[in-house]
């Protein structure tokens, strides 16, 4: 078991898991984000509370969408 008390998959189960084609390689430039653009958007943009699609919601399904 690991620190959270959940069982750790055995090494045979891990060996049969498929790997992403880019595993172990540097990310291609077309997958990288523009950090300058992200930082500018953080300081310059804000959601419009009157637009329901821009409302923040919290749940357990994880992040959906982009950082922008």
């Amino acid at each position: 078991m690991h620190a959270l008390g959940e069982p750790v998959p055995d090494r045979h189960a891990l060996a049969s898991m498929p790997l992403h084609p880019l595993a172990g390689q540097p990310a291609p430039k077309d997958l990288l984000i523009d950090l300058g653009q992200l930082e500018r958007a953080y300081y310059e943009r804000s959601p419009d509370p009157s637009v329901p699609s821009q409302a923040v919601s919290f749940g357990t399904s994880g992040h959906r969408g982009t950082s922008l």
Side-chain angles (χ1 to χ4, degrees):
M1 292 202 181
H2 62 60
L4 298 177
E6 298 171 5
V8 176
D10 67 59
R11 61 186 172 88
H12 299 293
L14 293 175
S16 66
M17 296 176 75
L19 291 178
H20 189 279
L22 297 176
Q25 300 178 34
K29 292 202 182 285
D30 62 323
L31 291 181
L32 300 177
I33 62 168
D34 179 341
L35 291 177
Q37 178 188 18
L38 180 61
E39 185 176 17
R40 285 188 301 280
Y42 178 83
Y43 289 106
E44 296 171 1
R45 295 175 61 188
S46 59
D48 182 345
S50 68
V51 179
S53 64
Q54 295 182 18
V56 175
S57 62
F58 298 93
T60 58
S61 62
H63 175 71
R64 301 283 190 267
T66 72
S67 52
L68 292 172

